[in-house]
Amino acid sequence: MCFVGHQELRDWPVRSFDPEQIFRFNAAQEPLIRERVSLILLLGCLLVPLFGWLDYLLYPALFNRFMAYRLVASLCCLLLYLANKNWNLGYKSSYLGISAFYLVGLIIIKMIADTGGYDTSYYAGLNLVFLGFCSVLPLHPKILTFHCILLYLAYIFSVVLICPSDRISLFLGNNMFVFSTLAIALVASVVNHRLRFSEHLLLEELESTRRKLEAYSKSLESTVEESEEKYRLVVDHANDAIFILQEQGITFPNPKTLELFGYSEKELLDLSLSDLVFPEDRAWVMAKCQSMMEQGDSPSMESFRAVNKNGDVLWVDMNSVPIRWMGQKASIHFLRDVTERKKLEIELFQAQKMEAVGTLAGGIAHDFNNLLQVISGYLQIVLMNKSSDHPDYHPLSQIEKSAQRAAELTRQLLLYGRRVESELKPIDLNDLVLRVSSLLERVIPKMIRMEMRLAADLMKISADPMQIEQVIMNLVVNARDAMSEGGRITIETKNFTMDKEFCRKHAGVTPGPYVLLTLSDTGSGMSRDVLERIFDPFYTTKEKGKGTGLGLAIVYSIIKNHRGAVTCQSKPGHGTTFHIYLPAALDERVAPSEPGMGDGTFQGNGETILFVDDDKDLLELTREMLETYNYKAISAETGEEGLEVYQKHMDIIDLVILDLNMPGMGGAKCLEELLRINPGLKVIIATGYLQDGQKEELLKAGASAYVAKPYRFETILREIKVLLQKAGSS
């Protein structure tokens, strides 16, 4: 038995109709198909056994057999009927109707064959099956035709193959009647299908028209209301402050405007735009707005400072468009809060200034440190030969101290430009604060009280203790200078977890555990203009001769160099508070201490040292210093000369002191070549400054130690002694 499925039905298009329409029509026919299938199954269940009385009248001998056929068919139709009632099969219900069609049809064909085939009257039952199938089931005519032809061919072949052909003329007449009935039923099904399809299209069109009329009616009724609501939704949920300015008065502010400036809508109605603009920016902002109203053009985006209800300064970008409002000239304004972006720009500008000063400092540090080294070195040599009661001892000591202060100033410049590496190691910030505060007690007047609020469970930080000490000292000294009539300095420490939101507002930091150092005072405070420039190099509000302007700039640079953050809040008359965020140490192990000097003397044992530097005065000074301490000195002015000298005297040279910044080959390349010749050679790098990370690179490359210029003799002599002792013990 062959059935045609739902998909095939969809694939049979009705001529000149949209396939989508056919699909919707077929979907709409599913309830009708289920209903008609139930009808035809019910008819089969009732009528098939009911016509059994004809069997008794026409063929009494076959009554029992035929009744069995009928009862089986009736029972099957009943079961199919119950399945269709209980299961929502949709279009697949048609399969049940088609099954009943074949079942009843084949039973009747069997009865036709059993009663002679050619001269039987049971062909009338076959006509009823065809009529019922085509007229009751609302299937596509092609489906009906397909199944009717299959059953009709089964009827023809059964009669021709099984039954004797003695009554051929009667068979032809009966067959013609059956064929005519089938043709009429199929034609009727085609007409019925087209009528139903046309009715469906008409209903669809009517429904579509009804919906359009309904939508149009609703649109006409609510056009104004919907437009206003859409505008309100856009304006109310905008991330920009939006308001209308008319005759300098603010109207129609959206919620973001109220949030940005902190005023209620009623309060804003009594204000003008100029009331919201920072005083220094007010004149040119209002001139721009006036020009826009007079000329009717839209100016480009402008950035200016605004002031909210609390007096906080905000940076905003403003776009303005001239409009007509209530029949009069007006302008609509869009303000975007860009305060965070401006803060990041300021930090970037600060970093650029740091880089510029650092580049300048790095450029002069080499030569300047060499000069200071020569001055300090010769002073140290002279002082070694004079007793403390000599008349020249004190003036020379003061000159030497001045040279050290000059060296410290150079180091501060390098530190500001982040040209000096930090010696990071795990330290306890509480211990460091207590140590510094004990030192500061000597310089803090008694009328200033210092309070400590140190967290007991404070994490260690990864920092350079000398530099953090300098940060605390600079901030405390500044706080002292701001409290000429006395006050209170509070130092507080606590653990702090930096999240992504905080990092988004502060460039150069990453999320994770930090330690927060807070230093506040009750001094005079700072104005907003001063607060914006406190980290600028050489900017100071102190009297001439009382400040270099590098203190807070160095604080900023040190904290940034430690991958931390520093913020400041201050108002005139309300004191100042600094918040310093320093990364917590991931590895809290304490670095091992440096080896001692053994017998405590710097004297050599006649070892030969090669000193490579491009400064002739420094070469002479170093040679004299080394010979004074019982070393033999060989000098070279360039890296190339240093290599040549070492290759010639490598058997007697025990150690090399190497400058980095030299013309030609340079110190780094010279180090590489020296170690290629002798991987075990002891080399001390002596230079004015190193780039970030360069010290680690040099030590990994094989350098034995690093000494920063200008250095005191005992510093480099100690390094020489330790390295030579290590070489001797190995």
Side-chain angles (χ1 to χ4, degrees):
M1 188 179 297
C2 180
F3 296 150
V4 178
H6 196 186
Q7 184 59 42
E8 287 134 336
L9 172 63
R10 295 176 183 174
D11 294 339
W12 283 347
V14 176
R15 186 178 304 168
S16 74
F17 291 109
D18 184 359
E20 200 56 40
Q21 290 177 321
I22 299 172
F23 178 81
R24 293 196 300 272
F25 169 71
N26 292 333
Q29 295 301 298
E30 290 184 1
L32 179 62
I33 289 173
R34 187 182 181 199
E35 178 186 335
R36 293 293 182 86
V37 167
S38 292
L39 177 60
I40 200 169
L41 291 173
L42 193 58
L43 288 174
C45 179
L46 297 176
L47 294 181
V48 171
L50 184 63
F51 279 105
W53 65 273
L54 292 174
D55 302 333
Y56 182 77
L57 294 177
L58 297 175
Y59 300 99
L62 299 174
F63 174 74
N64 291 335
R65 187 198 303 176
F66 283 7
M67 183 53 68
Y69 293 163
R70 291 178 183 276
L71 289 176
V72 169
S74 177
L75 180 60
C76 290
C77 288
L78 178 61
L79 293 176
L80 293 174
Y81 171 78
L82 294 175
N84 189 55
K85 272 291 187 183
N86 295 323
W87 299 340
N88 186 11
L89 300 176
Y91 183 82
K92 293 180 180 179
S93 294
S94 63
Y95 299 160
L96 304 179
I98 294 171
S99 299
F101 165 71
Y102 279 106
L103 177 65
V104 175
L106 291 174
I107 287 177
I108 292 176
I109 292 172
K110 174 63 175 166
M111 295 168 70
I112 290 173
D114 289 348
T115 55
Y118 282 87
D119 57 353
T120 181
S121 59
Y122 277 94
Y123 71 88
L126 196 60
N127 283 341
L128 290 177
V129 172
F130 284 138
L131 286 173
F133 183 62
C134 294
S135 61
V136 176
L137 286 182
L139 302 178
H140 195 282
K142 290 186 178 182
I143 297 177
L144 298 174
T145 301
F146 175 77
H147 293 294
C148 286
I149 289 175
L150 284 181
L151 190 62
Y152 178 75
L153 292 176
Y155 157 67
I156 294 297
F157 290 140
S158 297
V159 173
V160 172
L161 295 177
I162 298 174
C163 302
S165 58
D166 54 345
R167 301 290 298 276
I168 190 66
S169 60
L170 181 59
F171 168 71
L172 291 176
N174 290 343
N175 183 62
M176 182 60 67
F177 188 73
V178 172
F179 182 79
S180 300
T181 302
L182 176 58
I184 292 171
L186 291 174
V187 170
S189 71
V190 172
V191 174
N192 179 263
H193 182 270
R194 288 187 177 275
L195 286 174
R196 283 186 288 108
F197 189 73
S198 299
E199 181 183 1
H200 170 78
L201 293 180
L202 180 60
L203 290 174
E204 271 198 344
E205 187 174 353
L206 289 173
E207 178 63 22
S208 176
T209 303
R210 185 192 66 79
R211 288 196 299 266
K212 289 180 181 178
L213 288 173
E214 186 179 52
Y216 183 68
S217 176
K218 289 182 179 179
S219 177
L220 288 177
E221 292 175 359
S222 60
T223 299
V224 176
E225 181 181 347
E226 288 180 359
S227 298
E228 183 178 345
E229 181 63 21
K230 290 176 182 178
Y231 179 74
R232 175 67 65 180
L233 286 173
V234 171
V235 172
D236 286 355
H237 293 86
N239 287 325
D240 294 346
I242 304 174
F243 57 86
I244 292 175
L245 187 66
Q246 191 172 52
E247 295 181 354
Q248 299 304 315
I250 296 174
T251 60
F252 202 59
N254 71 337
K256 188 65 177 180
T257 304
L258 307 181
E259 177 189 338
L260 181 65
F261 292 106
Y263 293 101
S264 67
E265 186 171 357
K266 183 178 180 181
E267 290 173 328
L268 276 177
L269 294 176
D270 298 328
L271 299 176
S272 65
L273 178 61
S274 62
D275 296 325
L276 305 178
V277 181
F278 189 68
E280 293 183 8
D281 297 345
R282 189 172 295 160
W284 70 266
V285 171
M286 300 312 298
K288 282 278 186 180
C289 292
Q290 184 65 29
S291 173
M292 176 194 63
M293 296 297 295
E294 292 176 354
Q295 300 178 13
D297 59 345
S298 300
S300 58
M301 182 180 292
E302 302 289 348
S303 295
F304 61 88
R305 289 170 291 181
V307 184
N308 65 13
K309 185 177 181 179
N310 296 328
D312 299 328
V313 177
L314 312 170
W315 276 95
V316 295
D317 285 346
M318 183 176 73
N319 274 322
S320 306
V321 179
I323 60 171
R324 300 286 296 181
W325 179 257
M326 305 295 289
Q328 298 181 2
K329 286 185 177 182
S331 56
I332 184 168
H333 296 260
F334 304 84
L335 271 67
R336 176 165 297 179
D337 185 0
V338 294
T339 305
E340 292 183 8
R341 190 191 75 192
K342 280 292 183 180
K343 287 181 179 179
L344 292 176
E345 288 178 358
I346 291 171
E347 286 200 30
L348 177 61
F349 183 59
Q350 189 75 23
Q352 290 173 339
K353 287 190 290 186
M354 286 168 51
E355 185 66 23
V357 173
T359 301
L360 175 63
I364 66 173
H366 176 255
D367 293 338
F368 191 57
N369 281 330
N370 282 346
L371 291 173
L372 291 174
Q373 183 67 67
V374 172
I375 295 171
S376 175
Y378 278 115
L379 284 169
Q380 292 177 62
I381 291 174
V382 172
L383 287 171
M384 282 190 297
N385 298 321
K386 292 186 181 295
S387 62
S388 58
D389 57 354
H390 191 281
D392 296 334
Y393 186 86
H394 179 69
L396 291 173
S397 298
Q398 291 301 112
I399 296 173
E400 203 272 335
K401 289 179 181 179
S402 297
Q404 292 299 321
R405 285 197 294 270
E408 179 61 26
L409 180 60
T410 305
R411 186 176 182 276
Q412 288 185 2
L413 286 171
L414 291 172
L415 184 61
Y416 174 78
R418 299 170 73 176
R419 301 280 172 162
V420 175
E421 284 201 335
S422 303
E423 296 287 344
L424 302 182
K425 59 183 178 181
I427 62 172
D428 188 327
L429 184 59
N430 285 345
D431 291 345
L432 190 142
V433 168
L434 292 173
R435 185 168 66 250
V436 174
S437 62
S438 64
L439 294 175
L440 288 171
E441 288 178 355
R442 304 171 186 174
V443 296
I444 300 297
K446 293 184 178 180
M447 57 186 177
I448 296 177
R449 186 174 75 259
M450 290 190 67
E451 292 184 2
M452 302 292 171
R453 300 174 185 175
L454 308 180
D457 59 343
L458 194 68
M459 295 183 292
K460 290 187 177 182
I461 61 173
S462 180
D464 185 324
M466 296 298 294
Q467 293 184 14
I468 300 303
E469 282 184 9
Q470 186 173 4
V471 167
I472 298 172
M473 293 180 71
N474 283 355
L475 293 178
V476 171
V477 169
N478 277 355
R480 178 203 65 185
D481 294 343
M483 294 185 291
S484 57
E485 298 180 0
R488 183 179 67 255
I489 299 174
T490 304
I491 301 178
E492 181 181 0
T493 61
K494 65 179 181 179
N495 296 324
F496 181 82
T497 300
M498 192 172 291
D499 56 18
K500 292 182 179 179
E501 179 66 20
F502 188 95
C503 295
R504 188 174 63 84
K505 298 178 181 179
H506 299 81
V509 291
T510 56
Y514 282 71
V515 170
L516 172 59
L517 170 65
T518 304
L519 195 148
S520 57
D521 64 62
T522 58
S524 57
M526 292 178 280
S527 66
R528 186 178 292 109
D529 293 340
V530 173
L531 193 62
E532 290 178 355
R533 298 189 59 191
I534 57 172
F535 297 123
D536 287 357
F538 308 112
Y539 176 76
T540 180
T541 57
K542 297 178 181 179
E543 297 178 11
K544 186 175 182 180
K546 291 189 176 182
T548 62
L550 282 174
L552 291 179
I554 291 173
V555 167
Y556 181 89
S557 179
I558 288 175
I559 301 306
K560 285 296 180 180
N561 203 28
H562 281 73
R563 296 178 176 84
V566 55
T567 62
C568 179
Q569 289 84 40
S570 183
K571 285 185 179 180
H574 291 81
T576 302
T577 299
F578 284 90
H579 296 286
I580 296 171
Y581 304 85
L582 293 166
L586 300 180
D587 184 359
E588 298 188 357
R589 292 173 297 180
V590 178
S593 59
E594 295 182 355
M597 282 300 301
D599 58 3
T601 180
F602 296 151
Q603 290 293 326
N605 297 310
E607 295 94 336
T608 301
I609 296 175
L610 170 62
F611 183 55
V612 185
D613 198 297
D614 61 333
D615 190 297
K616 293 182 179 180
D617 293 335
L618 188 54
L619 288 175
E620 178 63 24
L621 169 66
T622 304
R623 183 191 61 76
E624 187 174 341
M625 179 267 295
L626 291 173
E627 290 176 352
T628 301
Y629 284 89
N630 197 27
Y631 292 103
K632 296 178 181 178
I634 304 176
S635 61
E637 295 185 19
T638 65
E640 292 86 348
E641 184 182 349
L643 280 176
E644 183 179 345
V645 171
Y646 181 75
Q647 288 174 329
K648 185 181 298 184
H649 304 287
M650 61 184 299
D651 294 336
I652 63 171
I653 294 176
D654 300 288
L655 184 142
V656 176
I657 301 174
L658 180 64
D659 185 27
L660 280 187
N661 300 293
M662 296 183 294
M665 177 182 289
K669 182 65 176 177
C670 183
L671 172 66
E672 179 183 343
E673 294 297 324
L674 287 171
L675 294 176
R676 185 179 59 81
I677 298 170
N678 180 8
L681 180 63
K682 302 298 182 183
V683 180
I684 298 175
I685 300 297
T687 189
Y689 72 95
L690 294 174
Q691 299 289 346
D692 192 22
Q694 192 176 9
K695 178 180 177 181
E696 284 75 8
E697 292 178 4
L698 291 169
L699 294 176
K700 287 179 181 179
S704 304
Y706 163 73
V707 176
K709 290 180 180 178
Y711 48 78
R712 296 190 63 79
F713 287 160
E714 57 264 28
T715 301
I716 196 165
L717 288 170
R718 182 184 295 108
E719 292 291 347
I720 293 171
K721 189 71 174 179
V722 169
L723 292 176
L724 291 177
Q725 283 180 350
K726 287 181 179 180
S729 62
S730 63

